[in-house]
Amino acid sequence: MSTLQSLNAPAKVNLALHVTGRREDGYHLLETFAVFTALGDRISAEPDDHDSFSIDGPEAGPLRGEASGSNLVARARDALREAARADGHAAEPVRLHLDKHLPVASGIGGGSADAAAALKLLARLWGYQPAPEKWRRSGFKLVRMFPCALPAGH
């Protein structure tokens, strides 16, 4: 019986996107109206003896040279594991795989969708359901990596 689990990370299309202000920390406040598509990337995870991350797919090329720990999927794993362990959950090592179909830096939410799917998938795999505040803190650690969350003026 395989323990491999997978989840789609759909692309988003912004029908409207407005910068509505600036937060105290310098990040933009955004207002958006978006729809999600049937197209997207796919994240897979399964327990393993040690953490690993791999990527393939037709749009994987630009990401192959980056360190595996810098990808948002791996950062999502690390942030959720930190929250889980703080709550007394083991959050065992996993093998993560990203099947990349969305173009990198295209503005359709590929990286953020991948991170969100990884968080959801790992929570299910680890049997960990964090409180809403834990979700917010884990997500905030990642939001600094999203292009739309760059400090104003960058």
Side-chain angles (χ1 to χ4, degrees):
M1 181 173 161
S2 174
T3 55
L4 179 69
Q5 296 185 33
S6 297
L7 195 60
N8 289 329
K12 71 167 174 55
V13 177
N14 287 312
L15 302 176
L17 178 65
H18 303 283
V19 177
T20 60
R22 190 181 298 179
R23 299 184 335 196
E24 288 182 21
D25 61 4
Y27 287 81
H28 290 111
L29 292 170
L30 301 177
E31 183 178 274
T32 183
F33 180 67
V35 294
F36 294 91
T37 71
L39 303 173
D41 298 335
R42 187 153 184 88
I43 307 293
S44 300
E46 64 183 327
D48 203 0
D49 294 332
H50 62 279
D51 282 334
S52 63
F53 174 73
S54 60
I55 182 171
D56 69 9
E59 295 293 333
L63 299 176
R64 284 200 179 101
E66 75 177 358
S68 64
S70 68
N71 188 282
L72 283 174
V73 171
R75 288 177 181 244
R77 174 202 60 213
D78 297 343
L80 188 62
R81 175 177 285 133
E82 183 181 320
R85 288 186 172 165
D87 284 345
H89 290 269
E92 299 295 335
V94 291
R95 177 183 307 148
L96 288 170
H97 180 76
L98 170 59
D99 187 13
K100 188 74 179 152
H101 290 264
L102 300 176
V104 174
S106 61
I108 57 176
S112 55
D114 295 344
L119 288 170
K120 186 175 181 179
L121 183 61
L122 290 170
R124 183 171 58 194
L125 185 70
W126 289 333
Y128 175 60
Q129 292 304 313
E133 180 58 29
K134 290 274 185 170
W135 278 120
R136 281 191 290 278
R137 276 185 278 177
S138 295
F140 185 72
K141 288 180 183 181
L142 299 171
V143 79
R144 295 182 187 274
M145 311 314 156
F146 299 160
C148 68
L150 288 175
H154 285 72

